[in-house]
Amino acid sequence: MRHIDEQDLDDLAVGAAILGTGGGGDPYIGKLLAQQAIREYGPVTIVDVDEVDDDALAIPVAMMGAPTVMVEKLVSGDEILSAVDAVAAHLGRPMTHTIPAEVGGVNSVFPFVVAARRGLPVIDADLMGRAFPELQMVIPTMYGISATPMAMADEKGNAVLMTTIDNHWTERFARSVVIDMGASAMITLFAMTGRQVKEATVVGTLGLSQELGRIVRETRAAHGDPVDAVRERLGGFRLFTGKIVDVERRTEGGFAKLEARMEGLGPDVGRTFTVRSQNEHLVAEGDGVAASTPDLIMVFDTDSGEPITTESLRYGFRVTVVGAPCDPRWRSAAGLELAGPRYFGYDIDYVPVEER
């Protein structure tokens, strides 16, 4: 058990943006909301999974939709509470803990808004170990855990509660609703007992996010290479260093889709590289495929070591692309069926980044 205050969220937000593989929304916005809640209600307690009782009720929270929209369509925090209350009321029991639905970007810090305002602890874990664009793409789906009851709420005061026959139908219906809500909404889903949390989550990812943020900050202060320090901590690989020469992006079907083309600098002069994304970075290609989902593909500002989210990538940025291994469960047949490259329409087989 440990406490998180306003300052701790600075490192956590940076680290979560790294693990978010470009997606999960701009962590700066969520960090401001969480810091405001902590300022008003006091520090938040983070607990390890082994501190959670088996019969506890943990309700994950997140933002759903296109990250590019959220930059202009801000939330107040009331939407999250409306969604949480709707699920708890439907289940007929109070929530005891909250947990990030994904460790990526803004979705890593939204639970701290709920925790501060309700006086509840946050569990040091998440459902993916990274970020993915669709609701069913979580470890609990592999364990047969239902996404519903699921609640969605927007900034206008609208709220929707749904139950579905499986998690793919949850994604399908929720995607339609989120488009009507303006391409972004706050959601709660995958309510789990403490026993399920221990089995079907990626443990320690909030602590890892804090550590990664601290590595970036301290390495930069020591005039080191923060990108290489992060790469080493994650057991990853430097895939490309260059300059972004073209960015093609569009918001389609409630997703932010992007293709960023780069020309090499330094050791990669003369090479070209492309990163393709759907909210998150899914495929990185140079002289052939360099990395693909479900492994982590992360884009950093080469000089500062700051992670760059999908919606922030711009022409002229000097970037370094890093690939790192995902949670081993994503490499199983069930994991690749949920979030492998062929699911997203890429005609390639998954090969672990360390083998590429």
Side-chain angles (χ1 to χ4, degrees):
M1 181 187 299
R2 62 188 186 279
H3 296 293
I4 292 288
D5 59 23
E6 290 183 61
Q7 286 69 41
D8 294 324
L9 287 174
D10 290 329
D11 285 342
L12 192 150
V14 171
I18 292 171
L19 296 176
T21 62
D26 188 336
Y28 179 72
I29 299 168
K31 181 185 73 172
L32 293 181
L33 279 173
Q35 287 176 330
Q36 180 183 2
I38 288 174
R39 195 177 307 124
E40 185 174 353
Y41 297 96
V44 169
T45 300
I46 293 185
V47 297
D48 294 332
V49 293
D50 57 9
E51 298 177 83
V52 180
D53 291 339
D54 283 352
D55 60 353
L57 176 62
I59 301 182
V61 301
M63 186 277 291
M64 179 182 183
T68 44
V69 172
M70 191 189 162
V71 175
E72 297 182 0
K73 185 173 176 282
L74 302 179
V75 298
S76 68
D78 294 336
E79 306 93 326
I80 318 173
L81 297 178
S82 296
V84 166
D85 290 344
V87 168
H90 180 84
L91 294 173
R93 54 180 299 203
M95 173 177 68
T96 61
H97 300 73
T98 187
I99 181 174
E102 63 185 9
V103 76
V106 70
N107 282 335
S108 63
V109 288
F110 272 143
F112 291 90
V113 178
V114 175
R117 294 178 65 169
R118 290 294 163 83
L120 298 174
V122 178
I123 300 173
D124 187 1
D126 80 296
L127 311 190
M128 310 179 201
R130 48 161 298 156
F132 274 124
E134 297 185 6
L135 298 180
Q136 77 278 7
M137 295 175 177
V138 294
I139 301 294
T141 296
M142 300 185 211
Y143 288 83
I145 298 172
S146 176
T148 62
M150 172 186 176
M152 308 175 65
D154 66 12
E155 76 287 354
K156 303 176 187 68
N158 298 309
V160 173
L161 180 70
M162 70 174 71
T163 58
T164 60
I165 58 173
D166 65 35
N167 295 348
H168 288 273
W169 277 104
T170 308
E171 162 65 28
R172 184 171 178 176
F173 288 142
R175 193 64 54 180
S176 298
V177 173
V178 81
I179 291 171
D180 287 336
M181 286 183 166
S184 71
M186 298 308 306
I187 63 172
T188 56
L189 71 174
F190 286 104
M192 291 184 285
T193 65
R195 182 184 297 274
Q196 289 172 319
V197 166
K198 294 168 187 175
E199 179 182 44
T201 63
V202 183
V203 174
T205 47
L206 289 178
L208 176 59
S209 295
Q210 270 191 282
E211 181 185 356
L212 291 174
R214 185 170 62 252
I215 286 172
V216 170
R217 174 171 51 81
E218 292 178 350
T219 305
R220 189 166 56 212
H223 306 291
D225 183 346
V227 176
D228 200 55
V230 169
R231 178 205 58 75
E232 183 177 0
R233 173 62 181 86
L234 294 177
F237 303 86
R238 187 182 290 251
L239 305 179
F240 190 79
T241 297
K243 173 184 174 182
I244 296 178
V245 295
D246 186 50
V247 176
E248 178 185 332
R249 58 160 51 88
R250 64 193 185 279
T251 300
E252 181 181 292
F255 297 105
K257 297 189 176 183
L258 173 141
E259 183 173 296
R261 290 180 285 279
M262 311 168 191
E263 292 182 353
L265 296 172
D268 292 311
V269 165
R271 295 182 59 208
T272 60
F273 203 77
T274 301
V275 172
R276 294 182 171 87
S277 314
Q278 179 178 312
N279 287 13
E280 286 74 38
H281 305 314
L282 300 177
V283 174
E285 296 177 305
D287 303 320
V289 177
S292 76
T293 176
D295 284 331
L296 282 66
I297 300 169
M298 299 157 284
V299 179
F300 297 85
D301 180 284
T302 298
D303 295 325
S304 71
E306 291 284 335
I308 306 174
T309 57
T310 302
E311 66 271 22
S312 299
L313 284 172
R314 295 289 185 274
Y315 170 83
F317 281 15
R318 295 173 183 265
V319 301
T320 296
V321 184
V322 172
C326 59
D327 184 280
R329 286 169 289 186
W330 286 117
R331 296 178 168 184
S332 67
L336 293 176
E337 183 179 356
L338 279 174
R342 292 192 180 277
Y343 177 86
F344 292 99
Y346 297 104
D347 189 21
I348 59 174
D349 291 323
Y350 168 72
V351 177
V353 65
E354 60 269 26
E355 296 180 20
R356 290 194 183 277

